[in-house]
Amino acid sequence: MRADEFGEAVTDLVRDLEACGVSFLVLEDGNPLSVTVVAGPAQRNLERLVRALKRMQASGGRPAQRRIDYDALVHGGPRRVPLRAGGLPVELVLVDVADGRWSAYYEEAEPVELAPGLWVDVVPDAPILRMRRAAASDVRPDLGLTQRERDRLREDRRRSV
């Protein structure tokens, strides 16, 4: 979903997450039917996220998966979790503290005002396209580099040592 398409459901979601003190970013993508949220990787933040999801009475994103394993959200490691929160399909991206994605996303984020006085950091579509193709379990990806460029950098580092 693009920032100019955010509707009332996204505004409500952002309001609920902020009310619980959750640190997060929203990723723009080409899917107008759902929103992608990247939660900050700190342990305390994930605990606040769990409280927010419980307050919103969030459910699993797939019909067969209605219950959310909140313990796995806090301790399960990097991955993507499909949810429904406030009637909105939400893809929750969880990253590890040691992973470079959170800081890379944060640097690319731009503030967007959803309602008077309600701001959310949104990562524009272009910088995240390659990241969305990476598995959530990848650790420390070199953002913006192709596989060939990463291999070449690794070779150069080996030669210089």
Side-chain angles (χ1 to χ4, degrees), residues 6 13 40 53-54 66 84 94 101 115 121 124 133 153:
F6 289 161
L13 174 72
L53 292 173
K54 286 180 179 178
R66 287 293 170 210
R84 288 198 67 80
L94 301 172
R101 280 182 272 194
D121 289 321
R133 291 188 193 113
L153 282 173

Side-chain angles (χ1 to χ4, degrees), residues 13 16-17 49-61 65-70 73 81-88 90 92:
L13 174 72
D16 289 344
L17 290 175
L49 174 66
V50 165
R51 280 196 306 274
L53 292 173
K54 286 180 179 178
R55 183 181 291 175
M56 287 184 269
Q57 298 178 344
S59 63
Q65 175 202 356
R66 287 293 170 210
R67 303 194 80 213
I68 299 171
D69 184 356
Y70 291 111
L73 282 180
V81 181
L83 302 171
R84 288 198 67 80
L88 181 69
V90 177
L92 183 62

Side-chain angles (χ1 to χ4, degrees), residues 13-146:
L13 174 72
V14 168
R15 193 172 278 124
D16 289 344
L17 290 175
E18 286 195 351
C20 290
V22 178
S23 175
F24 67 97
L25 302 168
V26 174
L27 303 185
E28 273 190 355
D29 59 25
N31 186 355
L33 304 175
S34 70
V35 64
T36 304
V37 173
V38 182
Q43 184 71 27
R44 305 272 272 157
N45 189 59
L46 295 177
E47 291 166 2
R48 288 190 295 265
L49 174 66
V50 165
R51 280 196 306 274
L53 292 173
K54 286 180 179 178
R55 183 181 291 175
M56 287 184 269
Q57 298 178 344
S59 63
R62 297 182 185 99
Q65 175 202 356
R66 287 293 170 210
R67 303 194 80 213
I68 299 171
D69 184 356
Y70 291 111
D71 190 49
L73 282 180
V74 176
H75 303 290
R79 69 193 175 292
R80 297 177 184 276
V81 181
L83 302 171
R84 288 198 67 80
L88 181 69
V90 177
E91 184 178 29
L92 183 62
V93 177
L94 301 172
V95 295
D96 193 79
V97 173
D99 195 322
R101 280 182 272 194
W102 173 256
S103 56
Y105 283 148
Y106 190 79
E107 289 172 8
E108 295 293 331
E110 299 171 358
V112 172
E113 189 172 25
L114 297 178
L118 180 65
W119 292 83
V120 64
D121 289 321
V122 177
V123 181
D125 197 25
I128 69 166
L129 289 177
R130 286 180 294 275
M131 278 308 301
R132 289 189 54 92
R133 291 188 193 113
S137 60
D138 289 347
V139 177
R140 297 182 190 251
D142 292 323
L143 295 174
L145 298 177
T146 65

